[in-house]
């Protein structure tokens, strides 16, 4: 266990990840499959696939914070899925879903950082995607791309920071490692998303190949990476 600094806690909160629930936790990452109706109700999404995509964008904020903490502070959250919880909050006048995790499950990164990268992709992100896909017809590519946009921004900033640029480039490369991805799925979805380009080359472009349906959720708008912009 590590003790998080105020700056770390503030960054987590900026991405709707909290160490204390601002509301009552409604479900956790191991029972997402039975919670899609609740997600749909909270978001106001008109269909199950749109609700699933909305929720995965919220999960993407947590996953992006995992890699942010890894590169910036050499720490990650390594708790059981039952303690990756979700509750409803309001942001900018809209009802939404935020994440609650316990600080005691933060630890320093492993000596072999690829083990932690695989843990985040395979044991935290992938199970949620699989659960959503059992409940509705939503493309796995859509769900994965909902995570990658946040990462793109963070590593665009990291690569321009001399103090952490080298570590950021190593972590960025490891995140795309085909051998990590093919241990649990068919291909490196991140590598396919990036197509060999750097964050700086993609940050202001419609890098997605699928629409996240943000435009179809009440109170939200079409995202800046949408292929419908091209």
């Amino acid at each position: 266990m590590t003790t998080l600094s105020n700056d770390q806690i503030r960054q987590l909160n900026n991405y709707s990840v909290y160490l204390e629930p601002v509301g009552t936790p409604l479900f956790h990452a191991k029972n997402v499959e039975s919670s899609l109706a609740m997600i749909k109700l909270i978001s106001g999404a008109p269909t199950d696939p749109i609700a699933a995509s909305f929720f995965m964008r919220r999960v993407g904020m947590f996953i992006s914070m995992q890699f942010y903490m890894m590169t910036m502070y050499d720490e990650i959250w390594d708790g059981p899925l039952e303690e990756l919880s979700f509750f409803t909050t309001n942001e900018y006048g809209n009802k939404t879903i935020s994440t609650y995790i316990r600080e005691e499950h933060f630890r320093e990164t492993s000596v072999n950082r690829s083990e932690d990268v695989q843990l985040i992709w395979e044991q935290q992100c992938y199970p949620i995607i699989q659960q959503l896909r059992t409940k509705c017809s939503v493309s796995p590519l859509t769900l994965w791309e909902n995570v990658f946009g946040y990462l793109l921004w963070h590593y665009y900033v990291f690569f321009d920071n001399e103090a952490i640029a080298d570590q950021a480039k190593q972590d960025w490369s490891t995140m795309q490692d085909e051998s990590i991805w093919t241990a649990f799925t068919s291909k490196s979805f991140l590598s396919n998303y990036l197509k060999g380009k750097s964050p700086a080359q993609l940050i202001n472009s419609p890098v997605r190949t699928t629409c996240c349906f943000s435009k179809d959720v009440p109170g939200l708008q079409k995202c800046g990476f949408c292929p419908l912009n091209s």
Side-chain angles (χ1 to χ4, degrees):
M1 174 182 170
T2 63
T3 300
L4 301 185
S5 67
N6 288 336
D7 284 343
Q8 286 175 286
I9 295 171
R10 190 178 304 112
Q11 183 63 27
L12 289 170
N13 293 169
N14 286 341
Y15 277 73
S16 292
V17 180
Y18 297 92
L19 302 180
E20 295 290 341
V22 182
T24 303
L26 301 173
F27 60 98
H28 54 68
K30 215 165 184 179
N31 65 359
V32 170
E33 185 176 358
S34 61
S35 304
L36 187 58
M38 186 184 303
I39 294 167
K40 186 177 177 182
L41 180 65
I42 292 168
S43 65
T47 68
D48 286 352
I50 293 173
S53 182
F54 162 84
F55 178 63
M56 201 64 208
R57 282 172 60 91
R58 305 303 290 183
V59 173
M61 295 168 79
F62 165 73
I63 297 296
S64 71
M65 280 295 92
Q66 283 282 67
F67 288 115
Y68 181 97
M69 292 292 173
M70 174 184 286
T71 295
M72 192 75 175
Y73 298 105
D74 294 318
E75 296 176 0
I76 65 165
W77 186 86
D78 186 9
L81 287 182
E82 292 90 341
E83 294 199 18
L84 175 55
S85 301
F86 304 96
F87 61 96
T88 183
T89 53
N90 283 282
E91 291 180 3
Y92 309 108
N94 297 316
K95 188 174 288 188
T96 191
I97 293 172
S98 295
T99 304
Y100 161 52
I101 54 177
R102 291 167 62 181
E103 184 175 6
E104 67 189 65
H105 294 302
F106 275 92
R107 63 164 172 81
E108 294 182 355
T109 51
S110 303
V111 174
N112 182 356
R113 290 169 85 92
S114 64
E115 294 177 354
D116 288 340
V117 170
Q118 183 159 348
L119 181 150
I120 295 167
W121 285 142
E122 181 179 7
Q123 297 181 34
Q124 295 177 349
C125 193
Y126 182 64
I128 295 175
I129 288 176
Q130 290 298 90
Q131 289 180 73
L132 291 171
R133 295 193 67 229
T134 64
K135 298 303 292 184
C136 65
S137 179
V138 59
S139 165
L141 185 57
T142 296
L143 300 181
W144 282 113
E145 288 186 342
N146 286 3
V147 176
F148 300 153
Y150 301 108
L151 288 177
L152 196 62
W153 169 253
H154 288 314
Y155 284 84
Y156 166 74
V157 174
F158 284 164
F159 283 11
D160 208 34
N161 182 339
E162 291 185 2
I164 58 171
D166 288 344
Q167 184 62 65
K169 289 173 182 176
Q170 291 176 30
D171 289 344
W172 188 243
S173 177
T174 304
M175 276 187 259
Q176 301 172 61
D177 189 330
E178 196 81 20
S179 66
I180 287 176
W181 285 84
T182 54
F184 62 93
T185 190
S186 59
K187 60 188 175 184
S188 172
F189 282 94
L190 178 57
S191 182
N192 281 24
Y193 173 82
L194 297 170
K195 298 179 176 61
K197 296 182 179 180
S198 69
Q201 292 173 297
L202 296 171
I203 196 65
N204 291 314
S205 68
V207 59
R208 294 183 65 108
T209 57
T210 64
C211 177
C212 70
F213 309 121
S214 177
K215 62 183 178 55
D216 299 312
V217 176
L220 302 184
Q221 300 177 337
K222 184 166 61 176
C223 83
F225 294 131
C226 186
L228 301 182
N229 287 341
S230 57

